[in-house]
Amino acid sequence: MSHKIVAANWKMNGSLDLVKELTGEIKAQLAKLDNGVKVVIIPPALYLRDVHREIGSGFELGVQNVSQWEDGAVTGELSAAMAADVGASYVLIGHSERRQLFGETDEVVSEKVAKALAHGLSPLVCVGETLDERDAGHAVDVVCGQVEKALAGIGPDDWKNIVVAYEPVWAIGTGKTATAEDAQRMHREIRDLLARLGAPADTVPLLYGGSVKPDNAAELFAQPDIDGGLIGGASLKADDFVRICQSA
Ligand code: PGA
């Protein structure tokens, strides 16, 4: 029985029509899947209720971001409480697109992690190095630094709700995937760090993301420290996404 997690990050894609089509196909095809994989659908927040209605039980839902603030005069933001209220149980935090395009710092990431936990959401904390950082030999330091800062404020009871996604920035949406060995090596570093931070490290799911496709998913998922995947582009094609879930 698989204990893997496969999460679909739809990013800012879709429409009501696509939601209906994609959700319907995923539901129909994955209903037969009995490998125990946990499937998390993370649509644009505006469509979360529609996905919820269409997909029924057997799937988890998430949002792609929440505010670091509780509520009030924060025009345009969505709160962790609201995400939980409409059925989300996961939230992506610190995705590299948020860090790069919206200037999210490690400090903001850690505030969002705290806010998510306070409202019963599982933060899916995204970390990853750029190509320059990797080429300079700093990948492990960068990634471990991000993990440590994101999780600095959490309490001993919070670990059971934490998921970490390693997504090398150079592999996101580029068609370039880390080799299974490179990904495994980084996941091991992250797990060792979690142990040093006092976490029950073996039980914290570590997902790999970055150009995961049906033809590379099985090899990635076979690595001992890769507990599943965060899927962007391929999650918008029902057949590809279903095949990835089948590999888990
Ligand atoms: P990708 O995106 O699968 O399209 O590379 C992954 C992600 O950004 O979560």
Side-chain angles (χ1 to χ4, degrees):
M1 202 66 163
S2 172
H3 296 289
K4 300 233 183 305
I5 299 174
V6 177
N9 175 13
W10 290 5
K11 309 195 178 186
M12 196 172 72
N13 293 294
S15 61
L16 277 178
D17 285 347
L18 185 86
V19 164
K20 214 173 165 59
E21 186 189 315
L22 202 51
T23 310
E25 285 179 36
I26 289 171
K27 181 182 170 181
Q29 295 193 48
L30 286 183
K32 297 169 228 132
L33 190 68
D34 57 0
N35 65 357
V37 60
K38 186 188 278 188
V39 178
V40 185
I41 308 288
I42 310 180
L46 279 177
Y47 297 134
L48 192 103
R49 298 272 282 169
D50 300 276
V51 173
H52 200 0
R53 201 175 314 117
E54 292 286 325
I55 212 153
S57 59
F59 295 84
E60 303 279 345
L61 295 173
V63 290
Q64 298 171 14
N65 178 39
V66 287
S67 172
Q68 65 270 45
W69 287 290
E70 181 64 25
D71 60 11
V74 197
T75 300
E77 289 290 276
L78 300 171
S79 73
M82 291 170 189
D85 195 25
V86 296
S89 41
Y90 288 85
V91 51
L92 294 181
I93 296 185
H95 189 281
S96 69
E97 287 148 20
R98 303 279 330 159
R99 293 180 192 258
Q100 289 188 330
L101 301 172
F102 299 92
E104 275 189 19
T105 59
D106 287 324
E107 192 186 8
V108 169
V109 168
S110 101
E111 287 170 9
K112 290 186 175 195
V113 166
K115 201 48 91 179
L117 289 168
H119 289 283
L121 297 172
S122 287
L124 221 157
V125 181
C126 302
V127 295
E129 82 286 1
T130 63
L131 193 55
D132 283 351
E133 288 163 342
R134 172 159 284 259
D135 288 345
H138 298 150
V140 171
D141 287 349
V142 167
V143 167
C144 287
Q146 289 173 346
V147 172
E148 194 163 357
K149 287 179 202 135
L151 302 178
I154 78 165
D157 292 341
D158 292 325
W159 287 111
K160 61 182 181 303
N161 296 316
I162 298 288
V163 181
V164 177
Y166 168 55
E167 299 201 300
V169 177
W170 48 270
I172 295 178
T174 58
K176 290 187 198 133
T177 328
T179 63
E181 293 72 32
D182 280 345
Q184 162 58 27
R185 211 169 294 132
M186 187 63 85
H187 280 228
R188 189 69 240 172
E189 295 282 356
I190 296 171
R191 210 180 292 286
D192 289 347
L193 169 68
L194 294 177
R196 291 197 297 279
L197 295 176
D202 288 341
T203 66
V204 177
L206 305 182
L207 312 188
Y208 171 80
S211 298
V212 178
K213 301 278 182 296
D215 59 5
N216 60 22
E219 193 189 359
L220 286 160
F221 295 165
Q223 303 303 311
D225 289 295
I226 298 186
D227 303 312
L230 179 55
I231 322 299
S235 74
L236 295 166
K237 296 180 201 127
D239 288 345
D240 284 3
F241 184 65
V242 166
R243 282 173 60 204
I244 291 169
C245 293
Q246 286 164 340
S247 313

